[in-house]
Amino acid sequence: MLMILICAAWIALWILKPTNLWTKIWHEAEDRARPTLFGYYGLNFAVSTFPVIALAIIGFIYLHLLPRKPRIRQARSSATALSNPLVVNSIVGILSSFEILLVFLFVIFLVWTYYARISNDFKKLMPVKSLKLNTWQLKYLRVATRFGLLAEACLALLLLPILRGLSLFRLLGIQFEASVRYHIWLGTAMIFFATIHGGSTLFVWGVSQHIQDEMWRWQKTGRIYLAGEIALVTGLVMWITSLPQIRRKKFEFFYYTHHLYIIFLIFFLFHAGDRHFYMVFGGIFLFGLDKLLRFIQSRPEACILSARVFPSKAIELILPKHAGLKFTPTSVIFMKIPSISKFQWHSFSITSSSSVDDQTMSLVVKCEGEWTSSLYQMIHAELDSDADQMRCIPVAIEGPYGPATMDFLRYDSLLLVAGGIGITPFLSILQEIASAQSNRKYRFPSKVQLIYVIKSSQEICLLNSISPLLSNQPSKKWHLTLKVFVTQEEQSSVTVREVLNDLSLVRAVRFGTQSNYAVNGLESLIWMAALVGITSILFVIFLISLNHIFVPVEKKLPSEKLAAPSEKVVSKEKTPSWVADLIILSSFIIAITGSTLMAILLRWRRLKKQTPPVSLNQGKAVQVLGPIEEEHEINFGGRPNFEEIFSELEKETAGSDIGVLVCGPESMKESVAKTSQRKSQCFMMNANKDKPYFNFHSLNFTF
C-alpha cells in the first residue's frame, strides 16, 4: 500500500507540474526553504527525486519478504487477463492489454503536459530580449521549447527498465530482458521530441538571422544552448547505432557508442538546469549505483570448470557457484571473458537449477556472432590440444538476475514452446519442477508439455540435461510430454532416445583452475535497500554542504523586506547556474564513491568466508537415457500446428488453468500468441469455468 501511495504521489507531481496552481505553490515553497539549512535544492531532491528512491527501498524490502516458491494456484482474474496478448503483429510485436493501457495513459499525460504549457505560454507571450522575433516566430519558438519538456518526461523513465540488481520492474514480475523494450520505446520517443525541440529552435534562430550568435553561447545563467546541442548530437549517435540493422551486425559498435550516455546526461544537466534535472535524477541515481554494484559483483573472476560441445555450434559451460547461491528458473547471467574482450558483456540463460546443483551452474551458448564464435574457437583449440592440463579460462559474472518468485509457474498445466536455442530457460524450469515434487508445501504444475522446434535432429542433444526426466519415472505426481519438430530434415526412423544417447555427437573438456573463487551472486535485497538509503543520505549531506560553501545565500533582514528581492536577483546573477549543476554532479560522485567503498569492504569480508569452489571431478557428465515413454514424439519436415496442440490440451485438461511459455524466434512467438489470444477470447465469451484458460508468457532472453 505504501508503494502505491508513493508511486501515485510521484505521478500526481508530474500531472500537476504544468499548472499555474502548482507553479505558485512551488515558488512559495522554494522561497520558504531557501534560507533554511535544507535549501531549495534539498526541497527539489525530496519532492522530485526521492519518491523513486523510496520506492526502490520499500520495494526491495517487500521482495525480500515474498516466498520464493509458489504456494497456491494461479487464480483466474482480470489482472491475469490483462497480461495476455491483445495485439500481435510483426511491427509492434506482442502487446498485452496492460502494456497498451500504460502506453495510452502515458500518451494522454504527454498531451496534457504539452497543452497546459503551450496554452499558458500563448496567453503570456513575452518577447526574447536577445532576439527580434515577430509573432509567429515567437510562438513557434515556444512550441519548440515545450517539446523539450516531453523529452524530459521520457528521460525520467528511460533508465528504470534497464536496471538489473536494483530493478524496480521485478515488483511487476517483469524481468530485465523483457523490460528492455520499454527502454527502446522511451529512448525513441525522447530522441524524437528532443530533435523537434533542438531542430525547431535552430530553425527559428536561422530565419531570424541569429543562429551564429545563439548556437555557440555558453550562458552564465539560464539555459546553456551549446550544452543542449552537444547532448542532442550525442543522443542521436546513440539512437542511430542502436537501430536493429546496426546493432545486430555491429554489436560491438553499438555497445561502445552507447556508453556516450555519460556525456549525454552531463550536458543535459548543464542545458536544463538543476531544477529540471531533479525530476529525472531518480532513475539516474539508481542506474549509477546499480552500475557500480554490478562492477563490484563481477570481481574477482572465476574459472570455467568444464565445457561440452554440442552439434550446430552450441556449447554448454559449467561454472562454479557458491553453495548458498539460490536463483529462480529463467534467471540470466551476464558474462565477460577478458581473453576475448575486456569490455563486452553478454547475457545467457541459466540452464541448471539451484535446487539440484549446489556447487555448479550451467549455461548454453549458441555460437553465431563474433564474440561467441571466438569462444567456440577457444574451446575447440583446447579440445584439439594434447596438453595433460587444459589452461584456465577466467570469466567475470554478473547476476543471476531473475524473477523474485516462481509465481509464473502457479498453473495446473504448462505448455512450453521452444525454438532452437530458446530451449535454455525451459531446462531450468523442468529441473526445478522435478526437484520440488517431494515437497508438498509448494505447488507446481502436474502436467507439462514441451514443444521443441529445431532445424536439425542433432539439436536434440541440448535436452541431455533433462534426459532423466524424459525416462519412465516411478513418481506420478507430474507428467512430462515431449514433441519435437525437425523442420529442415526429411522423415527418419530415428527416435528421441537414440539421438540423446549418441554420445559421439558431444565432446567434453575439463579446464585447469587458477581461481579459488566461485560465482557468489547478488547481495541480499535488504542489504541493497540499506545501501540505496545510505547513498541518498550521503548525497543530501554533501549537496547541502557544497551549496553552503560555494553558493552562499544572503539572509533577509526585517528592515530590508522591500529591497531583498532585488538583492536576491543580484546575488543569483553573481553565481553562474552551472555552479549548482557541478555541485549536484560532485555530490553524486562523492556519495557513490562512499557507497562503493562500503560495498567493496562487505564483499571482501564475504569472500574471506567463502569455501573453495567445486573440484574438477564434480563437473557434469553426459546423461544416458533409460527406457523412454512411447508418447514422446519426433516429427520431420514440418512445423507444429498450434491450433491442434491447444485443442488437444483443452480435451486433456478440462477446467484447468494452462500457463503458456514461449521462447524462440519472433515469428514463432507471434504464432503462439495469436493462438493463445483466440483460445482465451473463447473462454471469456463462453464464461465456462470447466473450459481451460490459457495464460501467455513470452520469454525474451538473449543467448
Side-chain angles (χ1 to χ4, degrees):
M1 180 60 70
L2 184 58
M3 289 188 296
I4 296 175
L5 290 176
I6 294 174
C7 187
W10 193 63
I11 294 172
L13 169 64
W14 279 94
I15 295 174
L16 291 173
K17 187 184 175 185
T19 64
N20 290 326
L21 175 63
W22 175 261
T23 302
K24 180 181 178 181
I25 294 174
W26 188 246
H27 284 169
E28 292 175 354
E30 279 196 341
D31 289 338
R32 287 194 297 269
R34 200 180 303 273
T36 66
L37 176 67
F38 209 44
Y40 82 91
Y41 34 84
L43 178 66
N44 274 274
F45 176 81
V47 175
S48 303
T49 302
F50 191 69
V52 179
I53 299 173
L55 189 64
I57 295 172
I58 299 172
F60 296 150
I61 296 174
Y62 169 76
L63 290 176
H64 177 77
L65 298 175
L66 278 180
R68 193 172 71 95
K69 295 190 177 182
R71 296 176 181 270
I72 58 174
R73 295 293 189 200
Q74 179 76 22
R76 296 177 184 176
S77 63
S78 56
T80 302
L82 285 175
S83 65
N84 279 332
L86 181 64
V87 174
V88 182
N89 61 55
S90 57
I91 299 176
V92 298
I94 303 169
L95 298 178
S96 67
S97 304
F98 181 69
E99 290 172 326
I100 293 174
L101 177 62
L102 289 183
V103 170
F104 175 75
L105 292 176
F106 187 66
V107 171
I108 293 296
F109 160 74
L110 293 178
V111 171
W112 153 251
T113 299
Y114 192 81
Y115 169 77
R117 290 291 192 182
I118 204 68
S119 60
N120 187 55
D121 288 345
F122 284 176
K123 291 176 183 177
K124 302 176 181 179
L125 206 59
M126 299 291 290
V128 181
K129 294 181 180 179
S130 60
L131 302 174
K132 296 180 180 179
L133 303 178
N134 56 36
T135 303
W136 79 265
Q137 292 172 346
L138 192 57
K139 287 186 175 181
Y140 190 61
L141 182 62
R142 300 312 301 165
V143 167
T145 302
R146 294 312 180 189
F147 268 104
L149 293 178
L150 303 186
E152 177 186 311
C154 295
L155 179 58
L157 302 174
L158 180 65
L159 298 176
L160 296 180
I162 55 174
L163 297 175
R164 296 180 192 171
L166 302 179
S167 175
L168 297 180
F169 277 78
R170 294 177 69 188
L171 296 169
L172 302 175
I174 301 174
Q175 298 189 57
F176 169 79
E177 293 294 338
S179 64
V180 165
R181 67 172 179 170
Y182 307 141
H183 172 76
I184 296 173
W185 296 350
L186 289 166
T188 301
M190 183 193 72
I191 291 298
F192 173 75
F193 294 134
T195 303
I196 296 177
H197 167 66
S200 299
T201 302
L202 291 173
F203 172 75
V204 173
W205 290 346
V207 297
S208 62
Q209 299 180 353
H210 290 88
I211 191 168
Q212 291 293 335
D213 300 327
E214 297 296 323
M215 71 179 297
W216 303 110
R217 287 182 62 189
W218 189 280
Q219 297 93 315
K220 186 176 180 180
T221 59
R223 304 285 182 268
I224 299 176
Y225 299 149
L226 181 58
E229 293 153 14
I230 295 173
L232 177 59
V233 171
T234 306
L236 283 170
V237 170
M238 288 192 295
W239 180 77
I240 292 172
T241 55
S242 67
L243 294 174
Q245 297 84 347
I246 298 177
R247 186 181 72 248
R248 291 170 183 166
K249 295 181 180 179
K250 299 289 183 180
F251 179 82
E252 292 78 10
F253 187 52
F254 150 76
Y255 179 81
Y256 293 129
T257 55
H258 231 59
H259 283 78
L260 293 173
Y261 71 86
I262 300 174
I263 296 175
F264 171 80
L265 292 174
I266 291 174
F267 281 98
F268 170 81
L269 169 60
F270 288 132
H271 174 65
D274 57 342
R275 287 175 174 84
H276 285 274
F277 190 74
Y278 282 118
M279 295 298 295
V280 305
F281 187 46
I284 298 171
F285 181 94
L286 293 176
F287 179 79
L289 186 58
D290 182 72
K291 193 84 171 176
L292 286 173
L293 289 178
R294 283 156 40 196
F295 176 81
I296 295 170
Q297 186 217 340
S298 64
R299 294 335 186 244
E301 296 172 348
C303 283
I304 299 175
L305 291 178
S306 61
R308 293 193 293 175
V309 180
F310 294 104
S312 303
K313 295 190 71 176
I315 297 177
E316 181 184 39
L317 302 179
I318 312 300
L319 304 173
K321 83 170 183 68
H322 191 270
L325 174 59
K326 299 295 181 181
F327 49 84
T328 51
T330 73
S331 293
V332 300
I333 61 170
F334 284 77
M335 183 172 68
K336 180 183 71 173
I337 302 181
S339 56
I340 298 178
S341 173
K342 295 185 180 297
F343 302 103
Q344 288 187 45
W345 294 85
H346 294 263
S347 61
F348 302 96
S349 298
I350 300 175
T351 57
S352 58
S353 168
S354 58
S355 300
V356 177
D357 299 323
D358 286 335
Q359 294 184 306
T360 63
M361 63 193 308
S362 59
L363 54 95
V364 176
V365 181
K366 183 71 171 179
C367 304
E368 292 180 335
E370 182 178 340
W371 187 90
T372 52
S373 295
S374 298
L375 174 61
Y376 185 81
Q377 294 170 5
M378 181 185 298
I379 301 296
H380 255 282
E382 296 296 332
L383 282 170
D384 298 336
S385 173
D386 296 330
D388 296 332
Q389 182 70 42
M390 302 300 180
R391 67 186 181 92
C392 168
I393 301 181
V395 294
I397 300 295
E398 288 182 10
Y401 305 110
T405 69
M406 287 184 273
D407 286 349
F408 65 99
L409 297 178
R410 292 186 304 173
Y411 298 105
D412 300 313
S413 303
L414 270 185
L415 174 62
L416 309 178
V417 183
I421 197 63
I423 189 65
T424 51
F426 299 144
L427 299 179
S428 62
I429 289 177
L430 292 173
Q431 293 180 68
E432 187 72 32
I433 294 175
S435 68
Q437 295 307 311
S438 59
N439 194 332
R440 297 182 178 180
K441 187 169 65 171
Y442 305 120
R443 295 191 174 183
F444 284 91
S446 57
K447 180 178 178 59
V448 180
Q449 183 171 126
L450 174 61
I451 308 297
Y452 190 25
V453 185
I454 51 179
K455 295 179 180 179
S456 168
S457 59
Q458 292 182 341
E459 295 182 52
I460 300 178
C461 286
L462 296 181
L463 299 176
N464 186 268
S465 61
I466 61 166
S467 58
L469 308 182
L470 298 172
S471 305
N472 288 321
Q473 301 294 321
S475 173
K476 296 297 182 181
K477 294 180 180 179
W478 77 298
H479 188 71
L480 172 63
T481 305
L482 170 67
K483 293 184 179 180
V484 180
F485 293 84
V486 184
T487 60
Q488 296 185 6
E489 289 184 6
E490 297 300 326
Q491 187 67 35
S492 172
S493 59
V494 68
T495 64
V496 174
R497 179 187 177 186
E498 291 172 348
V499 176
L500 285 175
N501 281 343
D502 190 354
L503 305 184
S504 63
L505 299 176
V506 182
R507 300 178 67 189
V509 58
R510 299 183 187 276
F511 296 98
T513 176
Q514 299 173 357
S515 173
N516 290 324
Y517 297 103
V519 179
N520 277 269
L522 303 172
E523 302 294 343
S524 70
L525 290 169
I526 291 292
W527 183 90
M528 288 195 286
L531 191 67
V532 171
I534 292 171
T535 307
S536 61
I537 292 172
L538 288 175
F539 174 80
V540 172
I541 291 173
F542 284 102
L543 179 69
I544 293 173
S545 302
L546 294 177
N547 267 284
H548 279 271
I549 294 172
F550 295 103
V551 189
V553 178
E554 294 185 6
K555 294 185 178 181
K556 184 165 56 176
L557 299 175
S559 60
E560 297 175 334
K561 288 185 179 180
L562 294 176
S566 61
E567 290 176 6
K568 186 184 292 184
V569 172
V570 172
S571 176
K572 186 178 179 180
E573 291 178 349
K574 289 181 180 178
T575 305
S577 59
W578 50 263
V579 172
D581 303 336
L582 284 177
I583 288 175
I584 293 177
L585 188 60
S586 301
S587 301
F588 181 53
I589 292 174
I590 295 172
I592 285 288
T593 302
S595 298
T596 301
L597 293 175
M598 187 185 307
I600 291 174
L601 177 62
L602 293 174
R603 181 79 173 178
W604 176 74
R605 292 183 61 183
R606 181 182 176 185
L607 291 175
K608 283 186 66 176
K609 300 177 182 178
Q610 177 178 293
T611 56
V614 64
S615 66
L616 295 179
N617 293 329
Q618 291 175 279
K620 283 190 175 181
V622 178
Q623 302 283 353
V624 178
L625 192 63
I628 189 169
E629 297 183 13
E630 296 180 357
E631 59 185 329
H632 297 312
E633 300 177 7
I634 180 168
N635 304 278
F636 291 87
R639 300 181 182 277
N641 186 325
F642 292 113
E643 288 286 349
E644 292 183 1
I645 292 172
F646 276 64
S647 298
E648 290 178 4
L649 275 177
E650 285 182 342
K651 297 176 182 178
E652 297 173 3
T653 59
S656 65
D657 286 338
I658 303 173
V660 181
L661 281 69
V662 56
C663 187
E666 290 299 322
S667 58
M668 189 180 73
K669 291 181 183 178
E670 292 167 8
S671 178
V672 176
K674 288 178 180 178
T675 307
S676 176
Q677 183 183 28
R678 287 192 293 269
K679 295 295 182 179
S680 297
Q681 286 174 348
C682 289
F683 167 80
M684 292 297 185
M685 292 175 63
N686 297 330
N688 184 358
K689 66 180 180 180
D690 294 328
K691 189 177 181 63
Y693 183 65
F694 294 90
N695 304 272
F696 178 86
H697 300 269
S698 175
L699 304 183
N700 303 288
F701 296 113
T702 53
F703 309 95

